Amino acid sequence: MSVRRNVTPWASAALVLTALLTTSCAGEEPNAGPSANPPSATPHGYVEGAKEAAEQQSRLLLNDPDSGNTRVLDLVTGKVHRTAQVKGTVRLGMDGRFGYLQAADGTHVLDSGAWMVDHGDHVHYYSAPTRDVGELPAGSQAQIRGDVAVAAVTDENGRTVLYDRSKLEKGQIAISRTLRGTYTGAVVPYGEHLLAFANKGGTTELVVLDRKGERVASPDVTCEAPRGDAVTRRGVILGCADGALLVRAQDGAFTAEEIPYGKHVPERERATSFRHRPGSDTLTAPAGDDAVWVLDVAERTWKRVETGPVVAVNTAGEGSPLLVLETDGSVHGYDIATGKQTARTKPLLTAGKRGDSDGSAPVIEVDRSRAYVNDPEGKKVFEIDYNDGLRIARAFDLDVKPVLMVETGR
């Protein structure tokens, strides 16, 4: 990777919009006069059709590709909601609120009815009824990334279509724009812009696009074999063959900083899929079969933790243990600083699939106080208190095999 810090500033309109949003979040209407409605008429954070809560309203989206059975498990009430059947799901993604059940012949969009709005200094949590939104013409190989404004869908040929997020919230699917050209990997919405990799002379170059698809910045960064991405409060992490790029919006401009491994890493041991708690700056990824990468975005450092055979990995960050689901069916806790194992659960997984590479292996979802592990063959989801020696806090019995699982509402 090569980095140049001189980049093209944002469009001034984006800065104006940011300022207006900040003012509005403070509970004041721009240019409000004496005739404006009083604040009590529309409470700060009000969303029509949703309930606001002081705590996160997390829900788990669950799918069994064989039967097509899909469920939404409300982690606050413990209730399970039925949704449309979606057979042949290869990948289940989410953007904080919406689940994207991707099959070979299309993608089903499911509104989990749980989400949060992060304003930096405070957070709003919302809940609403679960709803099936409809179908996107995107197959199982498409890369889907979203923010509060758009969902960017990039197909296997590099073509990207933007969908209007506000319409999804109303139960409608509407194309906002189709981008010109093709891109490598996922197109990631960030900072009212889009981050993408364009092919240039046999290399992949990072470009910043506005929401119309026009290039507005080129940080002069190349990334060999880009794969894997994660949005954090410190910026966007993009995985590359020799480490990662940290892309940030600062002082009206985009900057890109490389975070190299510091040594040669064989292809099979590279970090290509990041897992973390939303809002955390500590990312995790498998490092081959028997180790895990921990990327500290704040410190710009990689750490390799030697573990047993890895099925899934995650962490809440901020002093919390590294959680590793291993092929013995147990979740193991490791101290990130020392790499030493500190705790271990009993075996949670019923005999059967424990470490497949086809995307259907169990996962670990993490929020601010709990972690969740799906046991497909046992038709269970386990809730783990990772701050209490990996204590099993709850076990949810289900009427479906939760082969695929994601958590929303965080």
Side-chain angles (χ1 to χ4, degrees):
M1 292 177 287
S2 61
V3 181
R4 185 178 69 194
R5 293 185 178 275
N6 295 326
V7 297
T8 304
W10 288 12
S12 59
L15 296 177
V16 172
L17 177 58
T18 300
L20 292 177
L21 288 173
T22 302
T23 303
S24 179
C25 185
E28 300 178 1
E29 294 295 331
N31 301 320
S35 62
N37 291 331
S40 59
T42 304
H44 171 54
Y46 171 78
V47 176
E48 185 177 1
K51 295 180 180 179
E52 185 172 4
E55 302 294 335
Q56 63 186 20
Q57 304 294 295
S58 295
R59 295 175 180 176
L60 296 178
L61 276 56
L62 311 165
N63 174 263
D64 175 14
D66 290 337
S67 68
N69 290 326
T70 307
R71 301 288 187 267
V72 178
L73 171 58
D74 189 319
L75 294 171
V76 176
T77 66
K79 294 182 179 179
V80 177
H81 304 275
R82 292 174 176 265
T83 67
Q85 282 192 321
V86 184
K87 289 187 177 182
T89 306
V90 174
R91 181 184 302 177
L92 173 55
M94 69 93 194
D95 60 11
R97 173 176 177 174
F98 294 93
Y100 300 96
L101 295 95
Q102 298 179 237
D105 57 352
T107 294
H108 182 76
V109 182
L110 173 61
D111 184 351
S112 72
W115 70 96
M116 62 165 283
V117 178
D118 187 350
H119 290 295
D121 60 342
H122 67 284
V123 175
H124 297 272
Y125 296 104
Y126 298 98
S127 64
T130 298
R131 166 166 61 180
D132 289 289
V133 178
E135 310 298 319
L136 295 178
S140 58
Q141 299 305 310
Q143 301 284 333
I144 304 176
R145 303 292 187 269
D147 66 2
V148 297
V150 299
V153 181
T154 306
D155 67 19
E156 61 271 23
N157 297 314
R159 294 186 294 268
T160 300
V161 177
L162 304 182
Y163 289 86
D164 188 329
R165 175 67 178 267
S166 66
K167 295 294 180 62
L168 292 181
E169 294 171 359
K170 297 177 181 178
Q172 306 168 8
I173 293 179
I175 293 177
S176 174
R177 188 175 304 274
T178 299
L179 302 186
R180 293 181 297 176
T182 59
Y183 299 96
T184 299
V187 172
V188 182
Y190 172 65
E192 301 175 12
H193 289 70
L194 303 166
L195 304 182
F197 285 110
N199 291 318
K200 180 181 179 182
T203 64
T204 48
E205 174 191 30
L206 176 67
V207 295
V208 181
L209 312 174
D210 63 20
R211 292 299 167 93
K212 295 181 179 180
E214 299 299 325
R215 186 178 301 194
V216 296
S218 298
D220 194 20
V221 177
T222 59
C223 174
E224 180 184 352
R227 189 177 175 190
D229 54 87
V231 179
T232 75
R233 285 193 173 186
R234 295 181 184 270
V236 178
I237 287 291
L238 303 171
C240 303
D242 56 354
L245 288 175
L246 172 60
V247 183
R248 294 187 292 168
Q250 283 189 310
D251 301 325
F254 283 89
T255 63
E257 180 180 353
E258 60 182 349
I259 308 177
Y261 290 122
K263 62 179 181 180
H264 173 70
V265 174
E267 182 177 357
R268 61 182 298 274
E269 296 180 7
R270 297 172 186 168
T272 58
S273 178
F274 297 103
R275 304 281 294 178
H276 72 305
R277 176 182 62 79
S280 169
D281 296 324
T282 305
L283 309 185
T284 65
D289 295 330
D290 302 306
V292 167
W293 288 113
V294 178
L295 172 56
D296 187 326
V297 180
E299 298 296 328
R300 316 291 200 270
T301 58
W302 292 92
K303 183 177 180 63
R304 181 185 171 99
V305 178
E306 301 295 332
T307 64
V310 178
V311 176
V313 59
N314 213 327
T315 185
E318 301 175 359
S320 299
L322 173 66
L323 304 176
V324 184
L325 177 63
E326 302 185 13
T327 53
D328 61 3
S330 300
V331 174
H332 299 245
Y334 293 86
D335 182 283
I336 294 177
T338 65
K340 301 296 184 182
Q341 181 173 304
T342 58
R344 175 184 173 183
T345 70
K346 65 179 182 181
L348 303 180
L349 301 187
T350 305
K353 286 187 177 182
R354 289 190 172 184
D356 294 337
S357 59
D358 61 357
S360 63
V363 298
I364 302 174
E365 291 286 350
V366 176
D367 56 36
R368 289 185 177 276
S369 61
R370 296 289 190 267
Y372 299 91
V373 176
N374 54 319
D375 175 20
E377 296 302 318
K379 295 184 177 181
K380 290 180 179 290
V381 169
F382 293 95
E383 180 183 77
I384 300 172
D385 185 346
Y386 53 78
N387 289 318
D388 189 15
L390 305 188
R391 175 178 61 87
I392 306 300
R394 291 186 290 179
F396 299 95
D397 294 312
L398 305 166
D399 65 342
V400 301
K401 291 184 177 182
V403 176
L404 301 175
M405 180 178 80
V406 294
E407 182 178 358
T408 65
R410 299 169 294 178

